[in-house]
Amino acid sequence: MSALIASGDPTKVPNMLAAAEALLQVTWLPDPDTISPDQTEDSITVFAGTIRNMEHIAAASSFVQSVLLAVDDEGLGSYWSSGGILRRGEVFGRLGIPEDEILLGSIFLFPSEPTNSETKPGKLSQMRGTVEDWSRWTL
């Protein structure tokens, strides 16, 4: 990770890596029968929206939520990211992540009392609204 920290990447990822105590790269494995040879501009494999792929994504997402809740319960700081530069093949290679897996997200874990650091809210944090804006109770 020291190479990424020193890479000069203009995003917040290098600074977050430098401040974090740990990084979890959460990946999922698409059903091989559903992979298309088409590539997006980021070279991420395009896969079919099948029930099995949806289950894989849902399971990985549930893991992320469980980790974030547990970390919060322990009083540690955390930040979930879609990955940015951490999606790159060279990062997967350095971390031993198989090429056929897809990064769901990166979880940065921070000490409970960070020193010599500044915490900034996410750029979309003001747009969250209230719980009532995005959920409702049904009977």
Side-chain angles (χ1 to χ4, degrees), residues 12-108:
K12 61 186 169 188
V13 171
N15 287 335
M16 291 178 58
L17 284 171
E21 282 189 349
L23 170 72
L24 300 175
Q25 289 285 81
V26 182
T27 63
W28 69 280
L29 183 61
D31 189 354
D33 296 335
T34 68
I35 297 174
S36 165
D38 299 328
Q39 298 290 315
T40 67
E41 61 189 36
D42 293 330
S43 298
I44 296 172
T45 303
V46 176
F47 57 90
T50 64
I51 293 293
R52 188 166 175 177
N53 281 337
M54 181 185 69
E55 289 172 347
H56 292 186
I57 294 169
S61 299
S62 295
F63 169 79
V64 168
Q65 187 65 38
S66 296
V67 168
L68 292 173
L69 289 170
V71 166
D72 185 63
D73 191 52
E74 290 295 318
L76 299 174
S78 65
Y79 184 81
W80 178 88
S81 167
S82 59
I85 62 173
L86 299 173
R87 291 186 170 281
R88 294 183 182 162
E90 63 266 19
V91 173
F92 273 42
R94 285 185 181 186
L95 297 177
I97 300 171
E99 291 180 9
D100 54 350
E101 294 184 18
I102 296 176
L103 183 66
L104 178 71
S106 303
I107 303 173
F108 296 84

